[in-house]
Amino acid sequence: MVFFKRRLPSRFRPTLGGNERVVAWAMVGEDRAVVATTAGLHLPEQTDRLGWHEIHKATWTGRELIIVPGRVVEPDAGGYQVLADQDPVIVPLP
């Protein structure tokens, strides 16, 4: 990922929420980017932002970012929410 070295080209800039700002970004091939903001990740193949609170696991292999989102399966389990892993999202970052 690129940290504070170059500006994110405007064509890759996602629509941001009120106080949301871009923290880091990386190109995924020639025509897509993954963008990390203060509120979560904007992934190339998804239209909605994946909030930081929705990420169960994340792994960096040196070539790929693998993200496992969680989903609520039991909203009220004695004052807690029970979450389950969703299918992993794999983003190649050459």
Side-chain angles (χ1 to χ4, degrees):
M1 291 199 149
V2 176
F3 292 102
F4 307 113
K5 292 187 180 181
R6 298 181 304 187
R7 291 188 69 88
L8 174 65
S10 60
R11 69 181 182 274
F12 300 118
R13 188 175 181 85
T15 302
L16 302 177
N19 292 327
E20 186 177 13
R21 63 183 174 80
V22 173
V23 176
W25 60 277
M27 292 303 299
V28 179
E30 296 285 324
D31 59 348
R32 299 177 300 147
V34 59
V35 180
T37 71
T38 52
L41 289 176
H42 294 267
L43 299 170
E45 302 298 326
Q46 297 184 355
T47 56
D48 295 330
R49 174 187 66 222
L50 184 61
W52 294 119
H53 65 285
E54 299 172 299
I55 298 173
H56 262 193
K57 304 169 194 162
T59 304
W60 170 247
T61 68
R63 298 183 62 159
E64 296 176 325
L65 177 62
I66 303 169
I67 298 173
V68 179
R71 65 179 166 80
V72 177
V73 293
E74 194 172 331
D76 187 16
Y80 297 94
Q81 289 185 336
V82 177
L83 302 168
D85 289 350
Q86 292 182 329
D87 292 334
V89 178
I90 300 171
V91 181
L93 297 171

